[in-house]
Amino acid sequence: MKIAYATGSRADYGIVRRYLKMLNNATDLSILVTGSHLEEKFGNSVDNIEADGFKIGLRVPLHINNATTAGVISSMSVALEAYGKYFEDNKYDLLIILGDRYEMMAVAIAAAMQRIPILHLHGGEATFGNYDEFIRHSITKMSTYHFASTEVYRKRIIQLGEEPNRVFNMGALGAENCRLIDADNVEEAVKNLPVKKYFVVAFHPETLSSVSVLEQIDTIIKVVDLHADSEFVFMGTNADTGSDAIRDKWVNYAKKHENTHYFENLNNDSYLYMVKNSLAIIGNSSSGIIEAPSLGVCTVNIGHRQDGRVCGNSVFNVECIESQIENAVQRVESFSSNDIENPYYMPDTAERYFEKTIELLHNPTNTVKVFYDIK
């Protein structure tokens, strides 16, 4: 059985690492790499894939220009052409894609046109503040099978016209990964952070919002300035439109303030270990909603990037207003980790992902997809 996993960033690789290792032992697995993995300014995270010993079947550098949406569209066109040619000569029994990145949209189009079955992970979710929203649902319509992370999302995929017998509520791999951190794989710089004395700041652009990214960052920095007695860890942002402006702000701020740290790229174990030992996540990263609850950590979720997602009780949603953010920071500091619930967690998630994938490979759906109308 010949399968592939397409990945464009550290986020959509770290989440599936354990699942991929299981598949690697049972199938002929290739990793198809593109996007920020191959960009020096994003930390060359392809190194993490190589360190894990996976076979890389294809590398497609995009030379990402994310200063404008036109630059992002140009990167998509590069990916579409390269993957279209690759899938012409390299057929797979299954291509696995996670989520909603714009480079994954190009991969999905190329695979669907070349009639390669797609297994889509994390479909049915909603993020109204970002162009990931319509990209995710578009990938759903090109996919043959679907692993949703909650029952709400499974039902939404069916609402999009997908046949129920191809849609499965499997939980989120990331929510389980939090309970299986490999301490030996955690970077020393992360281990040296003072336990429960720092906040993690992970903020990405709202690409469907008219709000200025720089104004949002300045507001967050005002809140950071109020907590000179705490430490802050700024995480490198993704490759969306406007992300360079965020990165520049974080890097410059960290250089001038001794109580701050900046990490461009961390492997998955290091990131989860860091969050677990933090006071809270501040920003708008999906990890604050899906992974942080399993780590016993609260999240101050700022703005509208994640609007529409199912959230647990430890996620405090606020506008990008200084007083609201500060009030939420005060609340999370007194929130008991014993009260945290995670709607994305299911036991043995990776094992169930693996077993269902193997089942689908042995019993493929050979009929042409039709639109499923809800009666």
Side-chain angles (χ1 to χ4, degrees):
M1 292 177 289
K2 186 177 179 182
I3 67 175
Y5 179 73
T7 176
S9 73
R10 64 185 184 224
D12 62 38
Y13 171 70
I15 290 171
V16 300
R17 185 166 159 260
R18 290 183 58 250
Y19 168 49
L20 293 181
K21 286 186 175 182
M22 294 178 185
L23 289 173
N24 198 42
N25 292 330
T27 69
D28 180 5
L29 173 69
S30 295
I31 311 298
L32 312 182
V33 182
T34 188
S36 61
H37 277 308
L38 304 174
E39 301 277 341
E40 183 175 355
K41 72 177 180 179
F42 294 105
N44 286 321
S45 50
V46 66
D47 295 343
N48 297 335
I49 301 174
E50 293 182 307
D52 286 335
F54 289 113
K55 177 177 68 177
I56 297 180
L58 178 68
R59 299 170 189 248
V60 180
L62 301 184
H63 308 294
I64 297 171
N65 173 12
N66 54 5
T68 66
T69 301
V72 169
I73 294 170
S74 178
S75 296
M76 291 175 68
S77 70
V78 173
L80 179 58
E81 181 176 9
Y83 278 92
K85 291 179 179 178
Y86 179 77
F87 290 140
E88 182 78 25
D89 301 317
N90 296 270
K91 303 301 182 183
Y92 290 95
D93 298 304
L94 190 69
L95 171 69
I96 306 171
I97 294 176
L98 185 150
D100 43 40
R101 295 286 308 162
Y102 56 79
E103 60 269 32
M104 291 303 104
M105 173 76 156
V107 176
I109 292 173
M113 293 291 288
Q114 295 286 9
R115 295 165 61 178
I116 294 174
I118 298 172
L119 166 58
H120 188 208
L121 315 182
H122 278 271
E125 302 183 8
T127 50
F128 301 144
N130 205 44
Y131 44 47
D132 294 357
E133 166 71 6
F134 56 79
I135 291 173
R136 183 186 310 108
H137 301 322
S138 298
I139 294 174
T140 288
K141 295 310 302 176
M142 290 181 276
S143 300
T144 307
Y145 309 107
H146 312 271
F147 287 0
S149 59
T150 73
E151 184 62 18
V152 170
Y153 299 147
R154 187 190 75 87
K155 291 178 179 178
R156 185 173 291 142
I157 293 170
I158 296 170
Q159 183 181 339
L160 287 166
E162 298 300 292
E163 295 182 30
N165 61 358
R166 301 185 188 186
V167 187
F168 309 94
N169 175 14
M170 306 289 282
L173 289 165
E176 180 187 43
N177 291 340
C178 299
R179 304 182 179 216
L180 301 166
I181 299 172
D182 180 1
D184 293 333
N185 196 39
V186 176
E187 299 175 24
E188 285 302 316
V190 173
K191 290 182 177 179
N192 291 334
L193 293 171
V195 175
K196 294 299 180 181
K197 293 185 178 180
Y198 62 90
F199 294 90
V200 174
V201 180
F203 191 82
H204 306 292
E206 293 181 10
T207 52
L208 294 182
S209 171
S210 59
V211 179
S212 165
V213 171
L214 292 178
E215 288 180 11
Q216 291 178 313
I217 294 304
D218 287 340
T219 299
I220 295 172
I221 285 176
K222 289 178 182 178
V223 175
V224 172
D225 286 337
L226 295 174
H227 296 266
D229 55 338
S230 297
E231 297 195 24
F232 289 83
V233 178
F234 296 107
M235 281 303 302
T237 187
N238 57 22
D240 286 342
T241 307
S243 61
D244 285 349
I246 298 175
R247 177 176 290 97
D248 291 345
K249 280 278 190 177
W250 289 164
V251 170
N252 290 333
Y253 189 90
K255 286 179 179 178
K256 297 175 182 178
H257 296 80
E258 293 184 356
N259 67 324
T260 62
H261 313 264
Y262 178 80
F263 291 109
E264 181 57 58
N265 178 48
L266 291 173
N267 65 48
N268 198 52
D269 288 311
S270 296
Y271 179 72
L272 295 178
Y273 181 96
M274 179 180 68
V275 173
K276 181 178 181 179
N277 290 292
S278 71
L279 293 166
I281 294 184
I282 300 173
N284 60 8
S285 169
S286 61
S287 63
I289 295 174
I290 298 174
E291 281 88 2
S294 287
L295 296 166
V297 172
C298 292
T299 297
V300 178
N301 182 52
I302 300 171
H304 300 281
R305 181 181 174 92
Q306 301 297 340
D307 280 2
R309 280 200 193 273
V310 172
C311 292
N313 61 343
S314 59
V315 179
F316 297 82
N317 297 305
V318 298
E319 297 290 338
C320 194
I321 298 172
E322 181 181 349
S323 60
Q324 289 193 25
I325 299 171
E326 174 59 19
N327 179 261
V329 170
Q330 298 294 335
R331 291 175 65 194
V332 301
E333 288 180 320
S334 61
F335 194 93
S336 172
S337 61
N338 295 327
D339 297 329
I340 293 178
E341 302 169 355
N342 191 349
Y344 293 90
Y345 175 73
M346 286 187 180
D348 304 316
T349 311
E351 184 68 31
R352 289 185 299 100
Y353 267 58
F354 168 72
E355 291 176 354
K356 178 58 71 172
T357 303
I358 297 301
E359 178 187 326
L360 295 175
L361 285 166
H362 284 300
N363 300 283
T365 300
N366 296 318
T367 57
V368 175
K369 274 181 60 173
V370 298
F371 194 96
Y372 177 81
D373 290 308
I374 297 175
K375 302 295 188 293

